[in-house]
Each structure stands twice: as C-alpha cells, then as structure tokens.
Amino acid sequence: MTEKNEMLAIILAGGQGTRLGKLTKSTAKPAIPFGGRYRIIDFTLSNCANSGIDTVGVVTQYQPLELNAHIGNGSSWGLDDQNGGVTVLQPFSSSEGEKFFEGTAHAIYQNIEYIDQQNPEYLLVLSGDHIYKMDYGAMLEYHKAKKASLTVGVIPVSMEEAKRFGMMNTDETDRIIEFEEKPEHPKSDKASMGIYIFNWATLRNYLTTSFTTNNSLEDFGKNVIPMYLANNESTYAYAFDGYWRDVGTIHSLWQANMEFLSPHNSLNIGDHNWRINSKAQVLPPMFLTSTSNVNNSMIVDSCYVAGEVDHSILSQRVSVGTGSRIVDSMIMPGATIGKNVVIDHALVGEEAVIGDGAEVKGTEKDIAVVGYG
Amino acid sequence: MKHNSVSAVINLVEPWEKLEPLTIARPVGTLPFGGRYRLLDFPLSSIANAGIQNVMIASPRSGRSVSDHIRSGNDWNLDTIRGGLFNFPYNDLSLIAPEKKDTLLHHYYDNAILFLKRSNSEYTVVMGTRNICNIDLKALLRYHKERDNRVTTVYKSVDASEVKPTNTVLQLTENGMATSVVQASKTFPSSEGKLAKDLNIYLMSTVDLVDILNEANQRGDLISLERLMKRAVIQHNANAFEYTGFYANIHDIPSYYKASMSILKEDNFRALFYSQRQIYTKVKNEIPTFFAKSSQVKGSLCGTGGYIEGKIDNSVIFRNVFINRDSLIQDSVIMQGTRIGVGTTIENAVIDKNVVIGPNLELKGTPDEPLVIGKGKRIFRQTEVTNE
C-alpha cells in the first residue's frame, strides 16, 4: 500500500436519467452535452482538478461507452497525474458475483477494492449531473474543523422547491439533527446537493457490516444519513451559496442552458481562476456565411451557420442551412439542420439530422426534444 | 508503411524580414493563420497524418514560441515512446556573430546528422512552413519509390500572373523532372501560362541526406538547409511531384493578407480544413464565443472564447477576441486576445495578438497594402495609427 491519499473523490455517474427520455436512450446522463462544448460531468471533474484532488474514480454502469471515450486518460482536466489520475470504474464479475449496483451507497460498496487501493483518509462522494463550480478543498477544511464524521453539502432553496429535495434540519452549530426526504412542510431551507465527505474508515465499517448482513444501507439519502443520525455520528451541513443546478429533467436541462447563455450568469464560465475543462478536440474555427444572422447566442468550433440563430447554443460541428431559424434552443454536437427549418424551444440531440423545411416547436412549458441521430 | 520508416525535418529558418512586424518576435513558422492555427501546424499535420513520429524542428532563434506551441508534440501524435519531437534552437546563421562562426565550421550540420542517424529511418522529408498546403506525404513517398532519382521535390502548378519575379519555381524537363529551383524571373511559363511554384518540400533516403550533410560539414559550408536542398536538386535532378490541393505562399504582408482572405471562400476553407487529412493544432480549452444581440457577423471565421457585439464582415477572427458595440471589422484579420473599442472601424488590416484598440478610431489599409498593427500595441488616439 502506498502513502495515504488524503481525499479520494468518487463521482457517481451510473444513472440512466430516465426523466431525460430520448436524450439518454444511448448515453449516461453525465455524458449529455451542455453549454456548447461541455458534457455535464465536466463541471464535477473540473471542480475536482481545481480543488487539488488528483485521484478520482468515476463509477459507471448505464451506457458507459460515450463517458469512457470522453474521460479517456483524464489529461483534458489535468487528471493524468503520475500518482493518481482518473479511473473509470465499471461493474465486473468477481468470486462474490457481479458488481452491478442498486443505490448510491451500494455503488461505493461495490468499488471498495478500488477505494482501499487508494487508501484515503476522507472519501468525497459526488454526483456527475450537476452544473456548478465548487471548491471541495474548502469543504474538507470545514469537515476537519468540525471534526465531523460526515459533512453534507447543502444549498438554500425556497420552501416550494424544498418539497422536491432531501432537506437537512440543523442546530445553531450547523450540526444536522434531522433529515427529511421531500417534506410536505419543510423546516429549513437547506437542500442536500448529493455531495458528501466521509471519514472513510467509519463509512467502510458501516457498509461492510450492512452488506454482509441485511443490505440495509443501499442509498446515502434514504439509508446512510438516517443511520448516521440515529447512531449519533457527528454529521454537519456545509452551506454552498453559488450557482448550482440539477439538470435531471428536460425542462431543467433546457433552462440551465438558457441561463448559461446569459453574459450575467453567476456561474461565470469565463473565470480563468476556476476553469471548466472538457475533452480537448481540434476542430476548424466556426464559419458564419454571408446569409447568417446570429444574435444573443453561443457558438463553438466547427459550426457552419448559413441561417438565423437567436438566443440559442450551437455545439461543435453543428450546421444550420440557409433560411433556417433557431430560437431559444440548444443544439448538441454534430447535428445537421437543413434549409428552411424552424427550431423553437427545443433540445436537439447529438448527430441528429433535421431535413429541409421541418418544424420542431416546443413551448417554455413543454420543450421539444429531438433524440440522438 | 513500416513504423518509423520515415522521419521529418521542419526547417523554420525562412525569410522573415518582409513579414515584419508580424515576425519581429516569432519565426514565420509560428505566424498565426486561419483563426486558430500557426503555419507550422500544416507541415506538422501532414507529418502526423502520414504516421511519421520522428520529427526534428530547426528553429532560427531560441524557439520559445515554437516550444510553447508544440509542447510535447502530443497534439500531433508525437509524444511517443518511439521517436518523438526534437527542437533544435539557434539555426539562423545570419544571427550568429562572425567570430562565433569559426566554432560552427565543420559542425553546423552535426545536430541534424545525429538526429537522422538515431532515427533509423529509411527516408526523410525536409519541409518549410511558408507554403501552406495539406499534402499527402504517403503518396509522395510512393511516388518517390516508383522513380529513379535520389531526390523528389514538390510543386503546385499556378498561373504565371500569380507568381512574383522573386518567388522560386521548379525548372521542369519535358518528362517532368526538376533540374533546378530558380527565381521566377529566370524562367518562362509553359505554353498554358503556368509555372511550377516550388513548395520547399524534399524527400530522399536518409542515407543520402546524411551524406549531403556530411559533405557540407567537410567542405566547411555555412549555408541554410534549404539552400543545401536546392543544390541537391541541381546536382542530382529530382522527381517532381505535383500537388493539387489548396496552396498559399506567405512571403510578405500582402501575400499573408491575401492567403487569409482566400480561406474565407467556402471551397478553399473546405479544401484546407475538411479534407480526409485533418489539420491539428495545440488544443486549448476556450469557452464558446458569445454573439450579443447587436452583433452582425457575415462571411467570417471565428475562434472560440470571443465576445462579439459589433459588425464583422469577410474577416478572420482568432480566439478570445473582444469586439465592442458599434464597431465594424471589414476584410481584416484580428488575432488572438485583441480588443476593439466601441465605434471603431477596421478595414483591410492585420491586427496581431493582444492588441488593444480604443474607441472611435479608424484603422484602414488597402487590399494591396493592408494596415498592420504589431503584437501587444495599445492604440487610443487616431495619431497613433501608423502602418508599421
């Protein structure tokens, strides 16, 4: 065993994201394109790298090929460290059976050998489907200062939104005294972000006991946090108040993309002190022809625009033919949009082909979706 | 092709004086081109696309901008355990003091000889960077192997009217052999009015190239690699391979400007960047370019990381360029990191990297004599606008 790795990050990227319908038919949710040149998991991976975490395990299960190809050896995020790096963790067969997993905590248990190999003091558990910038190093400092066994990242939400989240009720020292899943009458505004720092030895103990006896600790929210509270483990809430979006539904994914378009978005994507990196690709520059008309939009390399683009995002290799009009939409990489097409309030999937004269129209309440081509 | 059977030498010692001020602090090879590339990317990509992994770069001076651009060579598949990329600085003889030249006598070609011997390659291609092309080096090698001459060189057939008297061309025999590389003024166009513009690419067996360099060392030659290659063509005659793709020769400011404008024609752009052979460059993680409500962009290339409020027409805009509202960029090249102020008009100009142009100014050149603003300049008054 090598020297102790202070904090290991595990990104749970196994979810299918069924609420994203056609967009996740052939890809995992964290691999969904976002903001023109990113995939959702880029935010979490970049946060790890920017926080000085050099060892990251990415737990995959559902449709992992695209995610694997995207992450590669991790060099695009500077995670190809000699002594660490990023490891994609796939379910595998062992003498105890196949290591597919059910809930979030089970996913950690199934990868216990990898975690032991890294031998961390602290385990940072993240989900790969949120859009945000966060310094996990500051959260670790907090965890240590509180001498916590578990620290949960929380974000303030409105009382209305609180009904959709796991809510943390805390005392005046921010110690969590009660956890309520989707409460009808919320008692606090602190919603769990699905970000946890555990003292690994303690968690390891709980998980091993559970999965060798009654399998009671399947999920962090549903099972592990209540168990920690019941056993009086010191559990603290770490408040985060920056930009954070869960993009688990078609509408929230569209909404976050539209927010991303605003030059005043508090995510501040242009900040060079906290860069969000993505898989580096070399593509020719974008080409806007003499018939193009682009306003209020974001465009990236290798796009070809001969039509009108208004308040929309075009990802890499998207082409828009003459006479076409794209409004309030996000077009994913490689989509080909013919001539005289209207696309309004829509998410268009990767490599989709939209024939001449077609209309794809959604509304703010009901975003249209074109699946992967 | 057997692995490592071909190595490549990219010679960055090229005439730069007429490209000033763009070449004051960089060799011609790292001149930005096409919105996100450097001239060096074109030969390096041809090399990568042919699977060549043994590459020597001869830089004229320190090679800082060269090293900064190519790093480990990973972006061209050159970060490999077999072969790799070797950057040798200070090859420009005109920058070496006369009293120091004695120490170079009989040793000037030592680095290249050592590189070639260690490469264990059968063939070597020697290229410059000022002739932009996207050449299939595998086809060139096949052509060479099928013929008897020891050297193969490359040309593009162009209208005589497009060639300046000082440009170099190949003199071809009736059966398509090159007998020499001469200035255009010293030869005559074909009956169709064409000249064989030389692309400064030479392919030969590595053993022959090592012999040429050894003999030059023994004679005490202190001449550029390029001149040695041209001499070899005269000495041995050469197979002449005709290249038919996109081509531009960069030898002065107007030719650089003209080449930049020519890739705004869609068929040229596609021929250069969307052929089967990709053009690679240093990868960078830039954010998407934002086009504000007031922006109006027509017939232009743009890099990522930009913020565009003004009007752009028929121009090449590199990465991270900030164009403020009410400004107009017409028929111009704006390089990386440059900022253009509110209400400023720029026409027929080449603005180098990281320049700041203040508000309400007019910077105008002509198509034949474009206005050039050097790297890092700050211009806030109309009187400060002068063509360098």
Side-chain angles (χ1 to χ4, degrees), chain A residues 35 37-38 261 275 277-278 282-290 292 294-302 304, chain B residues 34 36-37 264 266 270 274 278 281 283 285-293 295 297-302:
Chain A
R37 59 150 307 169
Y38 307 94
L261 252 181
R275 275 179 191 258
N277 289 325
S278 186
V282 177
L283 297 166
M286 63 192 86
F287 194 101
L288 279 63
T289 75
S290 55
S292 76
V294 178
N295 298 104
N296 245 331
S297 294
M298 277 181 174
I299 305 187
V300 301
D301 286 331
S302 198
Y304 174 88
Chain B
R36 66 170 305 184
Y37 304 92
L264 290 171
E266 209 174 312
R270 292 199 180 273
Y274 286 93
Q278 243 194 301
T281 186
V283 294
N285 257 298
E286 301 293 356
I287 61 174
T289 289
F290 182 75
F291 296 87
K293 206 169 187 129
S295 76
V297 183
K298 310 272 186 202
S300 295
L301 284 179
C302 293

Side-chain angles (χ1 to χ4, degrees), chain B residues 188-242:
Chain B
F188 298 100
S190 68
S191 50
E192 294 90 38
K194 299 279 189 188
L195 283 173
K197 177 72 194 72
D198 95 276
L199 263 60
N200 195 20
I201 298 173
Y202 305 90
L203 177 70
M204 66 197 82
S205 80
T206 304
V207 173
D208 281 349
L209 180 56
V210 169
D211 282 349
I212 289 172
L213 297 172
N214 271 328
E215 285 162 19
N217 259 347
Q218 278 157 20
R219 282 195 302 269
D221 282 353
L222 284 179
I223 60 172
S224 73
L225 189 59
E226 190 174 321
R227 276 183 63 195
L228 276 186
M229 295 297 98
K230 287 181 173 156
R231 235 189 228 181
V233 171
I234 296 171
Q235 209 174 348
H236 302 288
N237 286 350
N239 313 306
F241 177 86
E242 183 179 0

Side-chain angles (χ1 to χ4, degrees), chain A residues 57-331:
Chain A
V58 180
V59 178
T60 66
Q61 176 160 278
Y62 176 79
Q63 292 282 10
L65 288 181
E66 198 154 26
L67 201 56
N68 267 315
H70 182 67
I71 294 172
N73 66 354
S75 61
S76 295
W77 298 267
L79 287 170
D80 54 340
D81 195 278
Q82 288 266 355
N83 306 309
V86 52
T87 307
V88 177
L89 301 166
Q90 289 281 124
F92 59 94
S93 289
S94 76
S95 51
E96 298 106 59
E98 288 188 355
K99 302 236 172 183
F100 282 87
F101 51 85
E102 301 297 333
T104 49
H106 191 211
I108 297 296
Y109 178 72
Q110 292 293 57
N111 287 291
I112 210 161
E113 287 173 26
Y114 168 75
I115 300 169
D116 282 344
Q117 208 177 49
Q118 307 306 322
N119 190 26
E121 179 85 36
Y122 304 102
L123 183 74
L124 171 65
V125 178
L126 302 162
S127 64
D129 46 13
H130 297 144
I131 306 295
Y132 66 120
K133 288 179 172 180
M134 181 173 172
D135 182 359
Y136 307 131
M139 182 169 166
L140 178 61
E141 290 309 310
Y142 176 92
H143 179 83
K144 288 187 204 164
K146 291 289 187 186
K147 297 190 168 58
S149 172
L150 162 62
T151 299
V152 182
V154 297
I155 183 131
V157 294
S158 69
M159 285 299 144
E160 202 43 49
E161 285 178 302
K163 293 174 186 172
R164 298 194 292 117
F165 284 99
M167 302 304 295
M168 304 292 162
N169 303 328
T170 58
D171 68 13
E172 65 283 359
T173 67
D174 289 326
R175 184 166 175 148
I176 297 170
I177 47 177
E178 189 186 12
F179 170 75
E180 290 180 295
E181 184 75 30
K182 298 180 180 138
E184 194 50 45
H185 303 286
K187 292 178 204 146
S188 87
D189 67 347
K190 296 186 175 88
S192 168
M193 301 163 73
I195 297 174
Y196 312 105
I197 293 178
F198 288 98
N199 292 348
W200 170 236
T202 314
L203 177 66
R204 193 185 191 286
N205 239 331
Y206 278 118
L207 290 178
T208 314
T209 311
S210 157
F211 287 106
T212 47
T213 56
N214 55 7
N215 296 340
S216 59
L217 294 182
E218 200 122 277
D219 194 84
F220 283 119
K222 281 193 202 103
N223 314 117
V224 175
I225 296 174
M227 159 84 115
Y228 264 59
L229 295 177
N231 287 0
N232 217 17
E233 289 286 345
S234 67
T235 303
Y236 281 84
Y238 175 74
F240 176 76
D241 60 0
Y243 182 93
W244 181 83
R245 291 292 181 273
D246 181 343
V247 288
T249 63
I250 294 287
H251 192 269
S252 62
L253 179 61
W254 175 84
Q255 179 105 38
N257 271 292
M258 293 301 110
E259 287 169 359
F260 191 77
L261 252 181
S262 164
H264 311 294
N265 185 8
S266 58
L267 184 64
N268 194 7
I269 189 71
D271 179 8
H272 279 203
N273 294 320
W274 201 273
R275 275 179 191 258
I276 302 301
N277 289 325
S278 186
K279 184 189 177 184
Q281 296 183 63
V282 177
L283 297 166
M286 63 192 86
F287 194 101
L288 279 63
T289 75
S290 55
T291 55
S292 76
N293 186 3
V294 178
N295 298 104
N296 245 331
S297 294
M298 277 181 174
I299 305 187
V300 301
D301 286 331
S302 198
C303 283
Y304 174 88
V305 186
E308 192 182 327
V309 183
D310 188 10
H311 197 246
S312 295
I313 297 177
L314 306 188
S315 312
Q316 286 127 333
R317 297 180 291 107
V318 166
S319 72
V320 179
T322 48
S324 290
R325 187 174 143 73
I326 316 243
V327 192
D328 296 322
S329 296
M330 150 52 166
I331 316 294

Side-chain angles (χ1 to χ4, degrees), chain B residues 86-216:
Chain B
F86 303 87
N87 186 5
F88 298 128
Y90 297 111
N91 286 282
D92 189 341
L93 287 160
S94 70
L95 299 171
I96 293 166
E99 64 270 22
K100 294 263 171 71
K101 279 197 175 148
D102 288 349
T103 60
L104 280 180
L105 216 58
H106 308 297
H107 294 287
Y108 178 58
Y109 307 100
D110 284 0
N111 283 338
I113 292 167
L114 195 61
F115 162 79
L116 290 167
K117 284 189 169 165
R118 285 189 181 164
S119 75
N120 282 325
S121 61
E122 260 182 89
Y123 299 94
T124 298
V125 60
V126 181
M127 313 170 81
T129 69
R130 66 187 184 278
N131 293 289
I132 300 173
C133 62
N134 183 349
I135 189 174
D136 182 353
L137 292 176
K138 283 186 191 165
L140 180 67
L141 181 65
R142 277 197 301 275
Y143 188 90
H144 178 81
K145 284 181 178 172
E146 287 161 3
R147 280 162 184 78
D148 301 327
N149 286 313
R150 291 165 78 180
V151 180
T152 295
T153 188
V154 184
Y155 70 96
K156 165 94 180 175
S157 179
V158 296
D159 286 333
S161 59
E162 288 175 37
V163 180
K164 287 191 183 166
T166 49
N167 287 164
T168 52
V169 297
L170 297 184
Q171 249 175 354
L172 298 180
T173 62
E174 270 171 23
N175 53 6
M177 238 165 30
T179 53
S180 69
V181 189
V182 295
Q183 291 203 329
S185 59
K186 294 185 179 138
T187 187
F188 298 100
S190 68
S191 50
E192 294 90 38
K194 299 279 189 188
L195 283 173
K197 177 72 194 72
D198 95 276
L199 263 60
N200 195 20
I201 298 173
Y202 305 90
L203 177 70
M204 66 197 82
S205 80
T206 304
V207 173
D208 281 349
L209 180 56
V210 169
D211 282 349
I212 289 172
L213 297 172
N214 271 328
E215 285 162 19

